[in-house]
Structures are given as C-alpha cells and as structure tokens.
Amino acid sequence: MTIRLLVVDDDPLVRAGLTFMLGGAEDIEIVGEAADGHGVDRLALELRPDVVLMDIRMPRVDGLTATETLRARPDAPEVIVLTTFHADEQVLRALRAGAAGFVLKDTPPADIVAAVRRVAHGDPVLSPAVLRQLMTQVSGGTAAPGDRAARARERIALLADRERAVAVAVGRGHSNAEISARLYLSVPTVKTHVSRVLAKIGLNNRVQIALLVHDAGLLDEPDGDVG
C-alpha cells in the first residue's frame, strides 16, 4: 500500500523538510503541498490523499478550520495535526473535529513517518493517556461543562449495554485484544462493536470515542468487567 500524503504548512522551510523526510519513505507518496488551509478541501478532492499532515496555525485559513471542513466529508482523508504545543485548546478542537491525532513539530522524523503509517491504517497516533492529559490541562482539571456533558450522555444513551462497555474501554485506552479479554468477547466482535459505536453516534475514530466518554463522565466509573 502506498500512502498518499498532502502536507499543509505556511512555513516553506518546514514544508520542504517534511516533504524531504516523508518522501524518502518507500511507502509514502507526497501528492501535494499547501501554504495554508485555504483550498485544502479542493486539493483533497483533486489529489485524493489518504492522510493530510496539517499545521494548526496558519495566517489565512488555519488548520482547525480546514480540518473541520475536511472531516465533515463522508470520504474524508485522515488528518494529523502539527503543533508546537503539547496542551492546546485548538489541538483539542481539531481532535473533536475528527483529527486522528497530533504530532509536535520537534518530533523525531522516524516517529512522524510512523504516525502517518498508523493513521493510514486506521489507528490513532496518540495514546489515551496523552489524550486525557491534554483534556485535563486544557480544561484546568475540571469536568466537561454541563451542556456538553449532557449532550455526551444523550449520545451514549443511544448505545446498547455492550456497545457502551466497549466505548468506555476504548476511552480508557484498552486495545481490542484487552477489551476482548475484559468483556469476554472475540476480537472480531470487539471490532464490530467499535464500528457500531462510531456509526450510531456519528463519530470518525477512536479518539472521538474517548473524548465523548470523557465528556459524559464515564471514565470515573469503576474499571471492571461488564456483563
């Protein structure tokens, strides 16, 4: 599989460095570049990238707006956000919009290549522990605001008991194999439940499941087996 990658960054030196670094991977093809978020949606339609590496801060149309526009499409490419900050409200908003994760601009080249590969294969590029740290730092350690928490609980209520249990396990960072062992399900059944959760609630990836579970306050529940 050759991964088609679109690089979006307003700094030409950063773009050149990323293109040189990522283009050297035998399974990654740089199909295009953009200097800001303006026109990224059109470029994505034209070039059909599998993954977009998106700078979050750009002068005309920022990466957050571009991510929200891209991920609203049914055939959207995956998005990895590029940032200089570990904990940032814009990063969290990009994740809520459907970005599969974020990498720091000083991340070692091999790790950025690995992140692109992971996202292209449907895996998030940040651990749930990092996600929880991000949510805690951005929110100042407080729970989700009441209205967002209420909306999250309403969406969770759409799930069957087993789907809810799988969603909570995803939010705690368990892999499909770990969820299989905890809930006495086969791994294919766990994958089916994850797909149903995404479809029922209208989410894009496991990162968004984790965010929703956090907002609903379900991570405070005892971490035990669910029958």
Side-chain angles (χ1 to χ4, degrees):
M1 172 185 174
T2 298
I3 302 166
R4 297 173 60 82
L5 180 69
L6 175 63
V7 177
V8 185
D9 196 294
D10 65 313
D11 187 329
L13 292 178
V14 171
R15 282 202 317 277
L18 289 170
T19 299
F20 176 78
M21 173 184 64
L22 292 160
E26 60 182 17
D27 57 340
I28 296 176
E29 177 188 0
I30 309 296
V31 296
E33 301 177 25
D36 70 18
H38 178 72
V40 167
D41 190 48
R42 176 186 54 79
L43 271 178
L45 283 171
E46 176 186 338
L47 301 174
R48 298 291 178 182
D50 301 301
V51 179
V52 178
L53 193 57
M54 181 90 72
D55 185 16
I56 205 166
R57 286 176 173 79
M58 293 179 287
R60 189 159 52 145
V61 176
D62 62 30
L64 173 61
T65 302
T67 297
E68 290 172 337
T69 300
L70 273 181
R71 293 301 298 171
R73 287 177 19 203
D75 58 344
E78 298 292 346
V79 176
I80 302 174
V81 170
L82 272 173
T83 181
T84 55
F85 297 92
H86 285 273
D88 181 88
E89 178 62 34
Q90 285 190 302
V91 172
L92 194 55
R93 284 181 60 192
L95 296 175
R96 291 189 187 280
F102 70 93
V103 293
L104 300 177
K105 288 194 173 183
D106 59 359
T107 297
D111 291 345
I112 296 181
V113 172
V116 170
R117 288 173 175 153
R118 287 192 62 184
V119 164
H121 288 88
D123 297 322
V125 297
L126 73 166
S127 71
V130 172
L131 181 60
R132 285 197 293 272
Q133 180 185 27
L134 172 65
M135 290 186 290
T136 298
Q137 288 178 321
V138 169
S139 64
T142 61
D147 56 345
R148 192 165 74 224
R151 288 195 302 270
R153 287 191 291 269
E154 287 176 1
R155 297 175 77 185
I156 291 291
L158 298 173
L159 304 178
D161 288 345
R162 185 62 73 181
E163 292 164 349
R164 181 183 186 276
V166 169
V168 172
V170 168
R172 290 199 171 105
H174 299 313
S175 67
N176 287 342
E178 290 169 335
I179 297 171
S180 170
R182 286 172 176 270
L183 301 183
Y184 308 104
L185 301 169
S186 69
V187 171
T189 299
V190 172
K191 291 180 179 178
T192 297
H193 282 312
V194 171
S195 296
R196 287 176 178 168
V197 170
L198 293 171
K200 277 189 175 183
I201 309 181
L203 302 178
N204 291 302
N205 53 43
R206 294 171 79 103
V207 172
Q208 286 189 319
I209 293 177
L211 286 165
L212 189 71
V213 167
H214 168 271
D215 288 346
L218 300 183
L219 296 181
D220 297 328
E221 295 180 350
D223 187 9
D225 298 335
V226 178

